[in-house]
């Protein structure tokens, strides 16, 4: 058993974990990617999309300039965008939550889009989206889980930690280095 590189007190099968990581990576790229549409999909064999695939460059699964990442960003934005914001997935096509009716756009997912745009060099678009999202906060500066771009109202849980985590992460990505000296 090898000692882990960052903490010599920890021991584990580092080579085995790396091999498993590489196998999962290969499988996801092979089975979770639709080369015809140049996008990662909601699950293996599906043609549906899920906004969570926007996290691929953020978690280091693939670099931001990978053509599959670029295609995924545009495909998700086109398929799940509504009024400039993102739904998590198509509720009509994917009844994964079992709840009737439609959903609003998910603010966390829209922040993920801003992050992905920024990471791929589309910072102007990312900042415009970020400013729009910040403008959706209520009178005390809180964000909900979802937003209805047609009715112009917040939906779901208020306040929603995931929305605020998205706001903070995107703000740090877009503006974290400004003024630092």
């Amino acid at each position: 058993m090898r000692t882990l590189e960052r903490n010599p007190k920890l021991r584990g099968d580092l080579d085995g974990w790396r091999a498993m990581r590489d196998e999962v990576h290969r499988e996801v790229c092979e089975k979770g990617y639709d080369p015809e549409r140049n996008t990662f999909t909601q699950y293996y064999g599906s043609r549906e999309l899920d906004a969570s695939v926007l996290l691929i460059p953020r978690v280091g699964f693939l670099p931001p300039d990978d053509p599959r990442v670029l295609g995924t960003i545009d495909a998700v934005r086109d398929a799940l965008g509504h009024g400039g914001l993102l739904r998590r997935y198509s509720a009509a096509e994917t009844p994964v939550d079992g709840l009737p009716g439609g959903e609003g756009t998910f603010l966390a997912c829209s922040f993920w889009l801003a992050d992905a745009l920024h990471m791929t060099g589309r910072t102007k678009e990312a900042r415009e989206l970020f400013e729009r999202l910040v403008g959706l906060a209520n009178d005390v500066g809180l964000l909900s889980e979802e937003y209805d771009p047609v009715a112009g109202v917040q939906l779901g849980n208020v306040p929603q930690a995931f929305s605020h985590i998205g706001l903070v992460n995107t703000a740090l990505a877009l503006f974290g280095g400004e003024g630092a000296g």
Side-chain angles (χ1 to χ4, degrees):
M1 199 160 299
R2 288 185 50 193
T3 300
L4 298 182
E5 294 160 359
R6 293 187 183 164
N7 187 338
K9 293 181 182 179
L10 298 177
R11 296 193 177 280
D13 182 8
L14 193 54
D15 292 332
W17 294 338
R18 285 184 175 142
M20 185 180 299
R21 174 202 62 197
D22 294 344
E23 175 63 20
V24 169
H25 188 274
R26 184 201 58 73
E27 183 176 303
V28 169
C29 288
E30 180 182 303
K31 296 180 180 179
Y33 176 73
D34 180 348
E36 194 176 294
R37 292 172 37 221
N38 191 29
T39 185
F40 283 90
T41 59
Q42 189 177 54
Y43 55 89
Y44 294 171
S46 171
R47 291 193 47 84
E48 295 303 319
L49 302 179
D50 188 298
S52 64
V53 296
L54 293 172
L55 297 171
I56 287 172
R58 183 178 188 145
V59 300
F61 187 81
L62 288 172
D65 61 350
D66 187 291
R68 295 168 292 185
V69 169
L70 300 172
T72 296
I73 292 168
D74 290 335
V76 167
R77 188 179 212 179
D78 291 346
L80 302 177
H82 189 271
L85 306 175
L86 284 186
R87 295 184 312 268
R88 168 75 191 266
Y89 51 81
S90 172
E93 301 296 325
T94 312
V96 294
D97 60 15
L99 299 174
E103 293 185 324
T105 57
F106 277 81
L107 298 181
C109 297
S110 299
F111 282 113
W112 296 343
L113 174 59
D115 291 342
L117 290 169
H118 173 61
M119 290 182 79
T120 58
R122 296 161 70 178
T123 300
K124 183 176 187 273
E125 290 176 72
R127 286 184 179 204
E128 288 170 358
L129 178 55
F130 177 80
E131 304 235 354
R132 171 140 190 246
L133 289 163
V134 169
L136 301 179
N138 66 17
D139 59 329
V140 292
L142 297 176
L143 293 170
S144 64
E145 177 180 19
E146 299 178 32
Y147 184 79
D148 182 339
V150 175
V153 296
Q154 293 193 42
L155 303 171
N157 299 317
V158 180
Q160 174 52 253
F162 289 130
S163 298
H164 290 94
I165 290 168
L167 182 146
V168 169
N169 286 338
T170 303
L172 288 170
L174 290 172
F175 308 104
E178 290 185 10

